[in-house]
Amino acid sequence: MQAIRAIILGAAGAMLVAAAPDPAVDAAVRAALAKAPAGTRFGMVVRDAAGVEQVAIEPDRRFVPASNTKIFTTLASFATLPLDAADDGGAGVRMEGRDVILVGAGDARLSSAADCRVDCLSTLADAVAATTRVVGDVIGDDSRFPDQRWSPGMGWNNMAGRYGTAASALTLDDNELAITVVAQGDKAVVGGSDYYRIDNRIRVGKTNAVSFDRMPGSDLLRLSGTVAPGPGPGVTVRTGVEDAAHHAAWTLAQLLRDRGVRVTGTVGVRHRPHRAEEDGAVVADDAPPPMLARVQPGPLIEDVAITNKASQNLHAELLLRRIGRVGGGGSIGDGLKRIAAMMATAGVPRTAWDLSDGSGMSTYNRVTPRAMVTLLGWAQAQPWGARWIATLPVGGVDGTLTRRFRDTPLAGKVHAKTGTLSGVSALAGTMTAASGQTLTFALYANDNPDGMSATPAMDAALLAAAAAL
């Protein structure tokens, strides 16, 4: 190594600390990135345990971070929300005359699964059925947050899918509908949820290759492609829900009928329109009539782990809105104000980042590699820093990094958040170098050619940095 190195001895043992950048490290990283598809733009910063930037490639250029955005959202959750206490975001049900009101409070985990044990919609259905055998309307109320189902900069083509499903204070089953397709003779038969009208254009063919689309504002789900002939399990596709509160109320009405309760009215919703001039204003909780029953989700820390490990977009969007309820009304803008305050505390220049959502689906989001590494360094210094790091995917072990870094020297030694959009790959977090020191890094690839991946080059660059340091 050409850099001057100093050995600092402490009570815990010896620690190797780099006093200056090593040109050989930068050269090894650049050689790995050079093997990426032509046209890919990279930004990368690797900071060693002494705070020295050993790699700085376009460190102050702004990149689309994709799901690296969840780093901002989950860090702000740690800094703002009570993560270990019983979650107060659980849904509840109350009666207004003969009408049933299903009220959402921001929980992302309410479930209608047959094997549900915690946070179950069936619990609320049982409570209503134990009280009355006839109800009027069944109404889904998601007015705790403004009606902002999608963030600025999210492509409309993503709205029909599970990764772009609408955000709402009243969310059921991750706002996903499971549609099954099986071959019966020469016909493709569709089953599962019947919430949407189905236009079935699927043919029986050699392979399972089913696609779907739904125009915004439409309840018509169009299915196309092929399903392989039986006796196989067929295909299950998961689509997004446009009006989550309506779907939750519709499902509750179904559960009530299953319990012998007659529903004489219709399924309705109560939304709170978003007004930009109200962003930043405190919205006090009204005192509603007493709840007939409420469900109790697990601690919010569990949901943060789901959000980071699985890169769950809907959960991230709901966390952003819950952050925005602290001193605000729960809008996207309110949540971003809390993030901005955190970024200022962390010493990140305002010009180094811009966000439009909490999940990373927006193509308007931007961050510089140096800003991200600065934020990660601040996070590690917080009393809860190690707990937050533990919510990130681990290379070769779990989450969205299960298949990456496996059978390499970094297996089990990378804790990082992934990010993927069309033309975008991202990875940021910490890794343990060959010397044993902890490196903090951010690596972004933008403008990836269509159909080609920059991930192998990115992983090779991180392996090169870890080996040299």
Side-chain angles (χ1 to χ4, degrees):
M1 296 292 181
Q2 298 178 23
I4 299 173
R5 296 186 180 274
I7 298 178
I8 298 177
L9 299 177
M15 181 174 66
L16 192 65
V17 179
D22 186 340
V25 179
D26 185 85
V29 167
R30 290 178 184 272
L33 295 179
K35 298 179 181 179
T40 304
R41 270 194 313 117
F42 286 106
M44 183 177 185
V45 167
V46 178
R47 189 173 292 173
D48 66 20
V52 176
E53 287 186 356
Q54 292 288 345
V55 178
I57 300 171
E58 298 286 1
D60 295 314
R61 190 168 184 176
R62 290 152 58 102
F63 291 82
V64 177
S67 280
N68 257 202
T69 302
K70 296 181 179 71
I71 291 176
F72 302 100
T73 308
T74 56
L75 282 177
S77 297
F78 264 80
T80 307
L81 302 174
L83 298 180
D84 293 313
D87 188 358
D88 65 354
V93 66
R94 68 172 184 259
M95 303 297 296
E96 292 184 359
R98 297 181 68 176
D99 295 339
V100 180
I101 314 300
L102 177 61
V103 182
D107 171 41
R109 293 163 285 175
L110 184 65
S111 172
S112 69
D115 59 352
C116 180
R117 295 291 179 269
V118 178
D119 207 357
C120 307
L121 186 63
S122 60
T123 301
L124 303 180
D126 289 341
V128 174
T131 303
T132 181
R133 308 309 294 171
V134 180
V135 301
D137 295 340
V138 180
I139 299 170
D141 184 340
D142 67 354
S143 58
R144 183 171 178 80
F145 301 152
D147 189 9
Q148 292 176 292
R149 303 179 199 182
W150 297 282
S151 60
M154 198 186 82
W156 70 267
N157 56 307
N158 287 315
M159 294 178 182
R162 60 189 299 198
Y163 299 113
T165 193
S168 165
L170 179 54
T171 293
L172 179 66
D173 299 333
D174 289 335
N175 277 359
E176 298 175 7
L177 300 181
I179 308 296
T180 59
V181 183
V182 296
Q184 292 184 4
D186 60 352
K187 293 184 178 180
V189 178
V190 176
S193 175
D194 57 354
Y195 179 70
Y196 283 134
R197 295 183 298 125
I198 302 294
D199 178 6
N200 180 8
R201 302 186 181 188
I202 302 171
R203 298 173 288 105
V204 176
K206 294 181 179 180
T207 59
N208 289 324
V210 175
S211 61
F212 63 89
D213 65 83
R214 179 180 55 78
M215 294 298 292
S218 172
D219 68 344
L220 181 66
L221 183 68
R222 183 172 292 109
L223 302 172
S224 58
T226 60
V227 61
V235 180
T236 298
V237 296
R238 295 186 177 277
T239 70
V241 176
E242 182 153 329
D243 191 334
H246 184 273
H247 173 246
W250 179 87
T251 306
L252 178 60
Q254 299 286 84
L255 293 177
L256 291 175
R257 295 185 186 101
D258 292 343
R259 286 156 174 75
V261 177
R262 187 158 60 94
V263 180
T264 62
T266 61
V267 173
V269 291
R270 291 179 183 173
H271 298 312
R272 171 159 63 99
H274 172 250
R275 296 180 176 87
E277 62 270 18
E278 295 179 354
D279 286 352
V282 177
V283 176
D285 288 319
D286 295 329
M291 290 289 181
L292 180 64
R294 286 191 67 180
V295 291
Q296 182 63 67
L300 198 58
I301 182 67
E302 298 173 1
D303 194 34
V304 173
I306 292 171
T307 301
N308 276 336
K309 294 281 188 184
S311 201
Q312 225 292 347
N313 293 328
L314 173 64
H315 291 222
E317 292 299 335
L318 294 180
L319 285 174
L320 180 68
R321 288 155 176 78
R322 294 182 72 165
I323 294 165
R325 282 287 303 190
V326 180
S331 70
I332 294 171
D334 290 330
L336 294 179
K337 288 178 186 294
R338 303 296 301 187
I339 289 178
M342 177 188 71
M343 297 294 279
T345 300
V348 180
R350 184 62 188 86
T351 54
W353 63 278
D354 265 312
L355 297 178
S356 290
D357 72 0
S359 65
M361 289 295 288
S362 174
T363 57
Y364 294 170
N365 297 338
R366 296 291 187 277
V367 68
T368 71
R370 182 168 282 149
M372 179 57 78
V373 168
T374 300
L375 176 63
L376 291 171
W378 171 82
Q380 292 172 75
Q382 303 309 301
W384 40 260
R387 292 190 72 200
W388 178 79
I389 291 289
T391 69
L392 297 176
V394 181
V397 176
D398 64 12
T400 53
L401 286 179
T402 300
R403 293 184 176 89
R404 292 174 66 176
F405 302 105
R406 186 182 291 177
D407 301 322
T408 76
L410 283 178
K413 297 181 179 180
V414 177
H415 293 74
K417 184 69 199 73
T418 53
T420 305
L421 283 174
S422 178
V424 176
S425 295
L427 193 66
T430 66
M431 60 182 175
T432 304
S435 66
Q437 67 172 318
T438 297
L439 307 176
T440 305
F441 70 91
L443 175 53
Y444 300 105
N446 280 192
D447 298 333
N448 308 349
D450 186 36
M452 304 184 75
S453 175
T455 299
M458 294 170 67
D459 292 357
L462 291 169
L463 284 163
L469 293 168

